[in-house]
């Protein structure tokens, strides 16, 4: 007959072994950059259409970008962030605007 304490030790070992599997993916901030030519209404429309912001949220972010030079449109995993950047830049260019969208690593997430 085995000691029941052996079994308790086995359970503890399994629980600690599983913990490293619970890991969130690295996240990226999608930024809009200011320029002197893109109309404010166009930037607000981009934030509503591509980043699912309300009119109020979109206007606030657009004005932050206008006065501060850059602002965060959204935070995503790398593949989604890269797709947002390319879709938004292609869309702005197709409408004749120089609006720049880019990404950076979200440091908060480390
Ligand atoms: N600065 C632009 C203007 O005065 C507006 C603008 C806001 C442009 C945000 C780009 O990402 C931007 N028309």
């Amino acid at each position: 007959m085995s000691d029941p304490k052996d079994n308790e030790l086995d359970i503890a070992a399994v629980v600690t072994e599983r913990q490293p599997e619970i890991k969130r993916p690295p996240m990226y901030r999608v930024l809009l950059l200011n320029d002197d030519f893109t109309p404010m209404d166009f930037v607000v429309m981009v934030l509503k259409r591509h980043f699912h912001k309300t009119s109020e949220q979109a206007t606030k972010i657009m004005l932050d970008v206008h006065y501060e030079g850059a602002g965060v449109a959204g935070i995503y995993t790398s593949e989604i962030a890269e797709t947002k950047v390319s879709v938004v830049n292609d869309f702005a260019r197709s409408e004749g605007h120089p609006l720049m969208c880019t990404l950076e690593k979200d440091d908060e997430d480390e």
Side-chain angles (χ1 to χ4, degrees), residues 30-109:
V30 172
L31 304 177
L32 290 179
L33 307 185
N34 190 37
D35 66 73
D36 291 339
F37 304 103
T38 305
M40 290 183 171
D41 285 355
F42 182 81
V43 179
V44 170
M45 183 265 279
V46 164
L47 285 161
K48 289 166 77 173
R49 184 184 290 184
H50 295 280
F51 300 96
H52 311 289
K53 302 298 181 187
T54 64
S55 295
E56 291 73 21
Q57 291 169 332
T59 302
K60 186 185 179 301
I61 295 167
M62 182 280 294
L63 288 173
D64 279 355
V65 178
H66 178 71
Y67 289 114
E68 304 296 332
V72 179
I75 302 176
Y76 306 96
T77 54
S78 66
E79 206 174 326
I80 295 171
E82 276 164 22
T83 304
K84 294 274 177 204
V85 166
S86 114
V87 168
V88 167
N89 284 332
D90 289 354
F91 178 53
R93 236 52 86 233
S94 77
E95 296 292 312
H97 302 307
L99 176 66
M100 279 297 299
C101 185
T102 185
L103 59 80
E104 70 179 14
K105 180 95 187 23
D106 182 22
D107 303 328
E108 296 303 291
D109 144 72

